[in-house]
């Protein structure tokens, strides 16, 4: 619960997080699962941002960590005279069949942006291990849970 001592940006962010419903508007026919893209998230966010007189800025950079290059995506929310943001990284593949270098970088950018948005707006892309969808996508059954024990 938000208290009066908390910064107005946290109150705005909490409201946006509560209102945001980002559907999984994409389908992977090879893996037979639905997923959401950064574009799906942004499309769902636009009217909520307008309602809160807020702006979201996405920025990318390239960073070298060790001997690998990563796309660093930052999502920053501007509202009520304050900012809050988060950063996510995605590594470029050495090569991707059928893609040139700019397409590989673009794919890494989209991936990093999606996860920066997921972090900022509390979007969970993990599969719940208790669902049939988890079992069909991972080939694993949910781990058995121990029954609750009552105390005497």
């Amino acid at each position: 619960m938000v208290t009066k001592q908390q910064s107005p940006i946290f109150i705005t962010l909490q409201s946006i997080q509560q209102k945001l419903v980002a559907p999984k508007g994409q389908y992977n026919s090879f893996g037979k699962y639905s997923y959401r893209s950064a574009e799906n998230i942004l499309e769902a966010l636009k009217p909520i941002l307008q309602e809160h007189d807020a702006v979201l800025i996405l920025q990318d950079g390239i960073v070298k960590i060790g001997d690998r290059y990563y796309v660093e995506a930052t999502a920053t929310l501007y509202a009520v005279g304050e900012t809050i943001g988060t950063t996510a990284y995605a590594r470029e593949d050495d090569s991707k069949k059928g893609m040139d270098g700019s397409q590989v970088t673009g794919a890494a950018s989209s991936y990093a942006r999606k996860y920066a948005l997921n972090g900022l707006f509390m979007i969970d892309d993990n599969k719940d291990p208790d669902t049939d969808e988890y079992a069909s996508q991972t080939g694993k059954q949910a781990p058995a849970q121990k029954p609750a024990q009552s105390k005497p």
Side-chain angles (χ1 to χ4, degrees):
M1 179 149 101
V2 177
T3 64
K4 289 184 180 181
Q5 287 98 4
Q6 286 184 322
S7 175
I9 190 78
F10 289 112
I11 296 167
T12 300
L13 179 58
Q14 182 185 42
S15 179
I16 293 169
Q17 289 170 341
Q18 292 294 321
K19 291 178 182 178
L20 178 62
V21 177
K24 294 182 177 183
Q26 309 298 315
Y27 184 74
N28 180 312
S29 57
F30 179 76
K32 298 187 182 352
Y33 62 89
S34 296
Y35 66 97
R36 74 180 55 83
S37 65
E39 291 80 12
N40 295 133
I41 297 167
L42 293 171
E43 196 62 33
L45 269 171
K46 287 176 184 178
I48 301 169
L49 292 171
Q50 184 175 15
E51 178 184 320
H52 287 85
D53 199 24
V55 175
L56 177 70
I57 303 291
L58 296 172
Q59 296 176 296
D60 289 343
I62 304 295
V63 296
K64 187 174 182 182
I65 302 172
D67 63 343
R68 298 300 310 243
Y69 288 95
Y70 292 78
V71 174
E72 176 187 67
T74 302
T76 306
L77 178 68
Y78 294 82
V80 295
E82 297 182 275
T83 64
I84 189 168
T86 191
T87 300
Y89 297 85
R91 188 182 81 194
E92 292 184 334
D93 282 337
D94 290 329
S95 66
K96 186 89 169 166
K97 188 176 179 179
M99 295 176 107
D100 66 25
S102 62
Q103 290 171 316
V104 171
T105 301
S109 169
S110 294
Y111 192 85
R113 285 176 172 212
K114 174 183 169 180
Y115 283 95
L117 291 166
N118 285 356
L120 185 59
F121 296 108
M122 293 180 53
I123 300 168
D124 185 5
D125 266 354
N126 294 324
K127 300 296 170 216
D128 183 342
D130 292 332
T131 65
D132 291 336
E133 182 182 22
Y134 174 85
S136 68
Q137 288 184 26
T138 64
K140 299 176 185 176
Q141 292 296 320
Q145 294 186 359
K146 295 179 183 177
Q149 295 189 2
S150 58
K151 294 184 181 180

